[in-house]
Amino acid sequence: MSIVNQSEPPRLPSKTKAELDRISNLPRHLVEQILLHLPIRDLVRTSVLSRTWRYKWATTPYLVFDKQCLNVSSQDQTLIKNKLVNIIDHVLLLHKGPIHKFKLSHRDLLGITDIDRWILYISRSSIKEFILEIWKGQQYMPPSCLFNCQNLIHLELFNCLLKPPLTFKGFKNLRSLDLQHITIIQDVFENLISSCPLLERLTLMNFTGVTHLNIDARNLQFFDVGGNFDDVSFQNTPHLALVSIGLYVNINNDENNAQDSSSKLLRFFVNLPQIQRLEVQNYFLKYLAIGNVPSRLPNPCVDLNYLSICVDFDDLGENTAALCLLRSCPNLQELEMLVMHVLIPDFGGRLGTIEV
């Protein structure tokens, strides 16, 4: 007769390695999605999960180096820069397979020469999305190899000086271009835009070197610009539907009207047959008021359903241009009016000026 020790708990069946390592048995597409949504610092840390996960991170096609990739309490800029460079070097050294997205945006990163060799490295891959934001120091000039990346779909540059090589013939697959705080000369800008045949989205903010915004882009659908410029015109833009334009410098309409009596308003809309959303910001309405403003456009904007206007009600020309726009949008659904100057009474009953 067997004697059972009542003080000992019953033994549980031992778990297999597969049961203990459930995360390694996840479907491949689910594992890839997990890796894609992790910051680069946590992505590399997945190598300690198990032997199976040791190098899974090294095949991710999306590399993002931003403030989340570095956790340093020190304020020593040299230390931060060296740690960031070491992290990027380490990741690129161990990376395997294609790189589809490369983003470099760290507040403490200057336009260092290390960026040149990183761009050279990724230019040899099938890079589709490249984002470079230099937040400190002088403008960084990307190397010529960046302009060899013909698989690019999205390009975003911040605080850069653009000088493409003479052999540059455009980005044949580029659909989205975002340039902010950049320097680029007039003819290079025009050639860049016109030589991207698939370009759909263009953002241009705080730029120098370009005074005339001549936009020639057949597939362009979205255009957002803000800065100081003398003129803007659209050529071959039949699909452009969303436009937001801000002119940051005030202009003298009396001088402009004396030099040119042709209507800027008419010329602006002549190549925008399908515009649906328009934002007129800062002093751009004053620009549209240059020349002879008609009571309404000869071809109404029948697709325009949203209009935002920044207007100075003390300026007769701006009021005339605004009325012309309103009369020319028969299907307008939403109107936003931002007032530049308004006379309001203060607490003493006197009139004062407020800027919005």
Side-chain angles (χ1 to χ4, degrees):
M1 184 177 71
S2 61
I3 300 176
V4 179
N5 189 348
Q6 300 294 330
S7 62
E8 294 182 2
R11 293 183 179 180
L12 298 176
S14 61
K15 293 185 178 181
T16 65
K17 290 184 177 180
E19 290 175 317
L20 291 173
D21 187 16
R22 291 181 180 179
I23 193 170
S24 295
N25 295 320
L26 291 173
R28 181 177 176 179
H29 72 278
L30 188 56
V31 172
E32 292 175 351
Q33 286 299 312
I34 292 174
L35 294 176
L36 289 178
H37 289 84
L38 287 178
I40 195 73
R41 184 178 58 185
D42 296 333
L43 181 66
V44 176
R45 287 175 176 174
T46 60
S47 60
V48 302
L49 292 176
S50 71
R51 183 178 300 176
T52 306
W53 278 72
R54 188 171 183 180
Y55 293 110
K56 280 187 180 293
W57 70 269
T59 60
T60 179
Y62 298 156
L63 299 179
V64 177
F65 301 96
D66 54 17
K67 63 180 181 180
Q68 298 186 64
C69 77
L70 188 62
N71 186 15
V72 180
S73 58
S74 173
Q75 298 298 318
D76 188 336
Q77 298 299 311
T78 302
L79 175 65
I80 296 174
K81 175 253 182 184
N82 290 337
K83 281 186 173 292
L84 184 60
V85 169
N86 289 336
I87 290 174
I88 299 176
D89 282 343
H90 179 75
V91 170
L92 293 181
L93 178 64
L94 298 179
H95 190 272
K96 300 176 182 179
I99 299 175
H100 293 160
K101 176 181 179 178
F102 185 89
K103 178 179 179 179
L104 180 55
S105 175
H106 196 282
R107 293 283 179 178
D108 295 306
L109 181 66
L110 301 173
I112 53 178
T113 55
D114 298 270
I115 302 177
D116 289 358
R117 56 186 177 85
W118 297 333
I119 294 178
L120 177 60
Y121 180 89
I122 65 173
S123 68
R124 296 167 178 167
S125 184
S126 55
I127 185 73
K128 296 181 178 179
E129 185 174 351
F130 181 75
I131 301 171
L132 177 62
E133 296 176 333
I134 306 296
W135 294 100
K136 291 184 177 181
Q138 63 184 9
Q139 289 186 327
Y140 168 74
M141 187 171 73
S144 59
C145 58
L146 174 64
F147 300 93
N148 295 330
C149 301
Q150 287 301 310
N151 290 314
L152 274 177
I153 295 176
H154 176 77
L155 176 60
E156 191 171 332
L157 301 174
F158 186 97
N159 195 26
C160 289
L161 170 63
L162 296 187
K163 286 187 177 181
L166 297 176
T167 56
F168 178 62
K169 302 299 181 182
F171 294 112
K172 303 307 179 185
N173 293 292
L174 194 68
R175 296 180 182 273
S176 176
L177 179 61
D178 189 324
L179 303 175
Q180 301 192 39
H181 293 273
I182 62 136
T183 296
I184 183 172
I185 62 176
Q186 184 73 41
D187 60 339
V188 171
F189 170 75
E190 293 182 7
N191 179 65
L192 174 62
I193 303 304
S194 61
S195 59
C196 298
L198 300 182
L199 190 64
E200 296 176 352
R201 298 179 63 89
L202 174 60
T203 299
L204 187 64
M205 294 289 172
N206 298 299
F207 48 90
T208 56
V210 178
T211 57
H212 293 72
L213 298 173
N214 300 320
I215 309 301
D216 183 356
R218 179 166 182 79
N219 286 298
L220 194 64
Q221 301 174 19
F222 173 92
F223 180 52
D224 185 9
V225 61
N228 301 333
F229 51 89
D230 296 333
D231 198 18
V232 58
S233 63
F234 300 101
Q235 304 172 29
N236 194 26
T237 54
H239 306 294
L240 189 51
L242 289 83
V243 177
S244 177
I245 301 186
L247 179 61
Y248 295 166
V249 61
N250 200 352
I251 57 178
N252 190 328
N253 273 13
D254 293 334
E255 292 182 4
N256 287 300
N257 286 328
Q259 297 173 4
D260 186 6
S261 61
S262 62
S263 173
K264 297 288 188 182
L265 191 64
L266 289 176
R267 190 162 68 93
F268 179 78
F269 282 96
V270 70
N271 285 309
L272 298 176
Q274 294 188 19
I275 188 167
Q276 300 174 13
R277 182 184 179 98
L278 175 63
E279 297 179 4
V280 177
Q281 301 177 357
N282 306 98
Y283 295 102
F284 190 64
L285 187 61
K286 186 180 286 289
Y287 165 87
L288 293 177
I290 295 175
N292 299 321
V293 178
S295 60
R296 65 181 68 235
L297 297 175
N299 296 312
C301 303
V302 294
D303 295 320
L304 191 68
N305 54 58
Y306 174 89
L307 177 62
S308 176
I309 309 177
C310 187
V311 59
D312 179 1
F313 284 117
D314 293 332
D315 189 301
L316 179 60
E318 289 192 33
N319 291 331
T320 304
L323 288 173
C324 174
L325 286 176
L326 293 175
R327 295 190 188 106
S328 304
C329 304
N331 299 315
L332 191 65
Q333 298 176 7
E334 187 174 352
L335 173 64
E336 179 184 52
M337 300 195 75
L338 305 176
V339 182
M340 285 289 286
H341 297 85
V342 180
L343 291 177
I344 59 171
D346 63 13
F347 291 108
R350 296 166 297 182
L351 290 179
T353 302
I354 185 171
E355 293 189 4
V356 181

